[in-house]
């Protein structure tokens, strides 16, 4: 596995990576009195299955096919383990958006999750309304367009993933209306993370989800990893953590943002 930097040290030496914000009209509703939000938030990890000869191809001349695939698997594993075991994110829906969205991709991802002893279930169809889903379970979503299952248009694929994430949030919120304990917290945002960002500060992720860390962290380790003084974005703000190569490591899409307009032309 790639070694994760100590998050507390990283956050001290690296101020927030969030450089860009955009504000939308507020259609998401009010927050709860405890400050954690009346809507649920979700994390979508965008990933390619580590496959020999197909992963990190630009690194193959340096690392070889096996080495490049091993590095890809290590970074993805670090991201999954960090998000799974951070109690500040316990009440956040977690989705693994994987490519290729076929049997090979599914087999590869389930193998990694089983190795890491992370609970998962498949979210394969638009009419999937399994009420057994909890934030402790990762949902596996194949990277597919809702219009063309063979589409390679990234904007189309991310738009579909955003709509599916929002639908699952609505399903779980409907479940916990019948319970005394809420299953989800947040401001309704959906945060997209790349699998190549294993050292992205947890502060940035928590900020994008609209969660107050002190209200959710259940251990001293989590309070060290997530600063209780980190800012919390509103339900109308979109946040972006740019990457040096021109892409981005994190994108937080607010509940009020239109899915199609957000990813049109991407």
């Amino acid at each position: 596995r790639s070694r994760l930097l100590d998050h507390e040290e990283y956050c001290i030496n690296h101020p927030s990576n969030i450089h860009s914000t955009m504000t939308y009209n507020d259609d998401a509703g009010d927050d709860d009195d405890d400050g954690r939000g009346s809507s649920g938030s979700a994390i979508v990890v965008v990933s390619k299955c580590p496959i020999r000869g197909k992963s990190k191809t630009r690194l193959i001349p340096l690392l070889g096919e096996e080495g490049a695939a091993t590095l890809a698997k290590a970074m993805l594993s670090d991201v999954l383990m960090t998000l799974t075991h951070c109690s500040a994110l316990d009440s956040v829906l977690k989705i693994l958006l994987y490519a290729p969205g076929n049997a090979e991709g599914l087999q590869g991802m389930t193998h990694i999750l089983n190795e890491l002893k992370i609970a998962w279930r498949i979210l394969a169809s638009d009419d999937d309304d399994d009420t057994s889903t909890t934030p402790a379970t990762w949902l596996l979503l194949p990277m597919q367009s809702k219009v063309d299952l063979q589409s390679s248009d990234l904007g189309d694929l991310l738009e579909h993933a955003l709509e599916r994430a929002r639908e699952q949030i609505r399903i779980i919120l409907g479940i916990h209306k019948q319970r005394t304990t809420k299953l989800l917290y947040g401001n309704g945002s959906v945060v997209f993370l790349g699998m190549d960002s294993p050292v992205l500060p947890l502060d940035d992720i928590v900020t994008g989800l609209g969660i107050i860390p002190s209200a959710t962290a259940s251990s001293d380790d989590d309070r060290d990893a997530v600063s209780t003084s980190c800012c919390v974005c509103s339900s109308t703000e979109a946040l972006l953590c740019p990457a040096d190569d021109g892409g981005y490591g994190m994108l937080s899409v607010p509940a009020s943002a239109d899915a199609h307009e957000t990813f049109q032309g991407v």
Side-chain angles (χ1 to χ4, degrees), residues 1 12 36 65 83 91 97 99 156 165 179-180 183 254-255:
R1 297 182 62 209
I12 291 174
R36 290 182 287 184
E65 291 184 350
L83 298 178
S91 296
L97 179 66
D156 218 16
R179 302 183 181 183
T180 57
L183 296 175

Side-chain angles (χ1 to χ4, degrees), residues 149-179:
L149 295 183
Q150 302 302 317
S151 174
S152 60
D153 186 302
L154 180 60
D156 218 16
L157 300 172
L158 294 178
E159 176 187 343
H160 184 218
L162 176 57
E163 291 178 348
R164 296 300 304 282
R166 286 174 169 173
E167 178 59 29
Q168 285 300 305
I169 289 173
R170 286 192 291 269
I171 290 172
I172 296 181
L173 288 176
I175 297 171
H176 76 216
K177 284 181 179 179
Q178 311 300 323
R179 302 183 181 183

Side-chain angles (χ1 to χ4, degrees), residues 106-168:
L106 177 61
Q107 181 179 12
M109 288 306 183
T110 55
H111 178 72
I112 292 173
L113 290 167
N114 288 336
E115 278 189 338
L116 299 174
K117 295 180 171 56
I118 294 176
W120 58 270
R121 82 170 183 86
I122 299 171
L123 181 62
S125 61
D126 287 329
D127 58 357
D128 186 346
D129 60 353
D130 188 341
T131 58
S132 65
T133 299
T134 70
T137 302
W138 278 83
L139 300 182
L140 270 66
L141 178 63
M143 191 179 292
Q144 295 177 340
S145 165
K146 64 179 180 180
V147 178
D148 178 7
L149 295 183
Q150 302 302 317
S151 174
S152 60
D153 186 302
L154 180 60
D156 218 16
L157 300 172
L158 294 178
E159 176 187 343
H160 184 218
L162 176 57
E163 291 178 348
R164 296 300 304 282
R166 286 174 169 173
E167 178 59 29
Q168 285 300 305

Side-chain angles (χ1 to χ4, degrees), residues 86-98:
C86 176
S87 66
L89 303 176
D90 278 352
S91 296
V92 175
L93 184 65
K94 301 173 186 70
I95 296 175
L96 180 58
L97 179 66
Y98 65 91

